[in-house]
Amino acid sequence: MRGELNVGQLVRERHPGDCRLVGFTAYTGTVTAADDWGAPAERKLVRPALADSVEELFHEGGEKGFLVSFGAPPGSAETLRSARLERAIGVIYRPDTERQSHYFRSRVADQFDAVIHVDETRAVEPLERTARWEEGEVPETYPFAV
């Protein structure tokens, strides 16, 4: 991801062969995230995944959720060894700049030992909900109605 490190990469470098990395993907839904580091958390709508992304490929399978293990059978990993777009959503999610700020090219079968896909996520609910979290995102049509 543009020269950035992630925890999985650091663990794999420090403990080669002694760890298993499991990735998570989602096609759409909601997420609790902030606009920036240190900003308040909000419930945000996750846009449907972009065409040609890992998330869209998994969505096209038609299942609500599943696990893909890249250990066996060998054929299941081959499709995911070619570079595809992958979306990363974490503490920060910026739907307005999603393509630039959250997508990167990856070889999922080389990056993870397994991937859990959930087609539609539901935001983690904070213990203390703020009015801003309860409201969720401002609709794209704000301040006009459709």
Side-chain angles (χ1 to χ4, degrees):
M1 288 180 27
R2 297 178 282 285
E4 299 171 2
L5 296 174
N6 64 50
V7 173
Q9 178 182 352
L10 296 173
V11 169
R12 188 166 267 167
E13 288 173 3
R14 177 115 186 206
H15 305 283
D18 292 334
C19 64
R20 299 293 174 263
L21 303 183
V22 179
F24 291 87
T25 63
Y27 179 74
T28 192
T30 58
V31 66
T32 297
D35 290 331
D36 290 299
W37 286 101
E42 303 174 34
R43 183 179 49 201
K44 297 174 171 268
L45 296 174
V46 175
R47 294 180 174 191
L50 293 178
D52 297 324
S53 66
V54 171
E55 294 80 8
E56 187 208 33
L57 175 69
F58 289 163
H59 171 73
E60 292 297 318
E63 297 293 324
K64 290 184 178 189
F66 54 87
L67 170 101
V68 177
S69 175
F70 300 122
S76 67
E78 289 311 310
T79 300
L80 296 169
R81 287 208 197 288
S82 61
R84 288 184 171 272
L85 288 176
E86 181 183 349
R87 176 168 51 192
I89 299 175
V91 173
I92 296 171
Y93 180 53
R94 298 178 181 126
D96 294 341
T97 62
E98 184 181 72
R99 175 62 182 95
Q100 297 82 15
S101 54
H102 296 285
Y103 278 94
F104 61 100
R105 295 200 68 77
S106 74
R107 290 178 172 81
V108 175
D110 294 332
Q111 181 182 6
F112 299 111
D113 297 299
V115 171
I116 295 172
H117 177 75
V118 178
D119 208 54
E120 185 172 344
T121 65
R122 196 174 110 224
V124 172
E125 298 181 16
L127 294 175
E128 294 183 26
R129 297 181 189 181
T130 63
R132 187 171 185 151
W133 189 90
E134 287 289 348
E135 290 173 11
E137 274 187 304
V138 175
E140 288 183 28
T141 56
Y142 179 84
F144 305 101
V146 176

